[in-house]
Amino acid sequence: MNVIKWGIIGCGDVAEVKSGPAFSRIDNSKLIGVMRRNGAKAKDFADRHNVPYWTDDADELLNNNEINSIYIATPPSTHLEYALKALSLHKNVYLEKPMALTSLEAEKIGSAVKQSRGKLCVAHYRRKLPAFLKVKELIESNAIGQILIADIQILQPRKSKLVAQSEENWRLNPHVSGGGLFYDLAPHQIDLMYHYFGAFKSVTGSSTKSATEMVEDTVNGIIEFKSGVQFRGVWSFVGAETYSKEQCVIYGTLGSIRFSFYGDSILIRTNDKEEVFKFTNPKHIQEPMIASVVSYFLGISENPCTADEGIIVMKAMEKLSGRHQ
């Protein structure tokens, strides 16, 4: 395999700018075909992005012999089906987050990876963005001493600007999304905490639902890491615009690191100085991660985010939301 030839299942809002164009911008990578259940929209995407092949049939795309790698960008309710089919055909898979509806489904995908010649990466793409690489560098260089506590506060109104807009509000349908806006946003945040601080020792949490919703609107949780780091996090999606907040603060023995998951700067404070690092994200924000995925699929580098890591994040989200303890 000298060139990764991609097919996208689900060429909707996420694929439009965040990821789709990047597949043909990377060396040894080409976007060959796209699929969407609405054929007219699949054709429109293909025409606008110069993709040679489109279809409204996922099986047709999966069985296209020219395509050796599949990007699954559908809602989580179909991740298991499409991932298992792609892996049974020994095709590589780049799988959107959350990995599946449940950790049990995620484990089925993980088992299928072990039986396939295809490889799989989970799209926890913030790992490869410049700001979060810098945070990892600061932690590993002991810039704020020994890490003690990490604190996340995601306080958002019902119509949060952090959530990608779609024609259907499927994120609030647990049968499609798995668990509402928490399941949409938290995978990136929990994955980064795991990426920074290592294995979890214990995860606990609880959640509340409003009378009119089927999904959690507020989640409150605690994680203890085997490294000794303590974590607390709160996610709420029914708050007032006036106290809207989205931040992470990491506290160490010598200072703190403060950043936004959706911003462009990091603030580091120590006893003797305060410093701000500014960053510019790529237009196609998944491009750095996709470049790493292509490198892994070609056998050049290690997996940037494994199925096992995706399963760990899924299990943590279930425990944080109080579903499984």
Side-chain angles (χ1 to χ4, degrees), residues 22-41:
F23 290 103
S24 292
R25 288 171 48 85
I26 295 163
D27 291 343
N28 303 311
S29 174
K30 295 176 65 177
L31 179 55
I32 300 296
V34 295
M35 173 271 168
R36 190 169 179 175
R37 287 176 299 175
N38 185 317
K41 291 183 177 180

Side-chain angles (χ1 to χ4, degrees), residues 176-196:
V176 180
S177 66
L181 299 185
F182 173 72
Y183 265 56
D184 190 52
L185 299 184
H188 286 309
Q189 294 136 21
I190 301 306
D191 176 70
L192 280 177
M193 298 300 102
Y194 174 82
H195 190 52
Y196 291 157

Side-chain angles (χ1 to χ4, degrees), residues 53-68:
Y53 164 73
W54 65 270
T55 179
D56 59 4
D57 185 336
D59 288 334
E60 183 182 318
L61 183 94
L62 286 163
N63 286 289
N64 185 313
N65 291 328
E66 189 177 4
I67 293 170
N68 55 41

Side-chain angles (χ1 to χ4, degrees), residues 149-322:
I149 300 167
D151 179 88
I152 289 178
Q153 294 183 63
I154 309 292
L155 308 176
Q156 295 292 305
R158 288 184 181 276
K159 292 186 178 180
S160 172
K161 296 177 183 178
L162 305 182
V163 179
Q165 300 303 306
S166 57
E167 293 178 12
E168 299 177 11
N169 198 10
W170 57 263
R171 290 174 176 83
L172 297 183
N173 182 346
H175 303 296
V176 180
S177 66
L181 299 185
F182 173 72
Y183 265 56
D184 190 52
L185 299 184
H188 286 309
Q189 294 136 21
I190 301 306
D191 176 70
L192 280 177
M193 298 300 102
Y194 174 82
H195 190 52
Y196 291 157
F197 308 125
F200 304 141
K201 182 177 180 181
S202 64
V203 182
T204 59
S206 61
S207 63
T208 58
K209 299 178 185 178
S210 66
T212 59
E213 301 292 352
M214 296 185 292
V215 294
E216 301 87 355
D217 55 38
T218 301
V219 175
N220 186 31
I222 295 172
I223 299 174
E224 180 182 1
F225 290 83
K226 290 182 179 179
S227 61
V229 174
Q230 296 287 329
F231 165 89
R232 68 176 186 177
V234 60
W235 294 259
S236 180
F237 302 99
V238 288
E241 185 74 44
T242 54
Y243 62 75
S244 179
K245 180 185 288 188
E246 180 273 305
Q247 71 171 22
C248 177
V249 185
I250 299 171
Y251 300 94
T253 53
L254 300 178
S256 66
I257 302 169
R258 184 182 302 265
F259 61 91
S260 161
F261 292 101
Y262 299 86
D264 60 0
S265 64
I266 297 169
L267 171 64
I268 179 170
R269 286 176 175 157
T270 58
N271 291 333
D272 56 354
K273 68 176 181 178
E274 181 173 299
E275 189 172 3
V276 176
F277 299 93
K278 299 285 287 185
F279 301 90
T280 301
N281 283 323
K283 178 182 178 181
H284 309 297
I285 202 163
Q286 291 204 37
E287 187 167 344
M289 183 64 165
I290 293 169
S292 294
V293 170
V294 167
S295 181
Y296 169 59
F297 286 174
L298 290 172
I300 297 169
S301 63
E302 295 183 356
N303 192 335
C305 188
T306 68
D308 287 343
E309 291 173 309
I311 293 166
I312 288 169
V313 171
M314 288 294 305
K315 288 182 175 180
M317 291 198 304
E318 288 174 346
K319 291 181 178 180
L320 287 168
S321 63

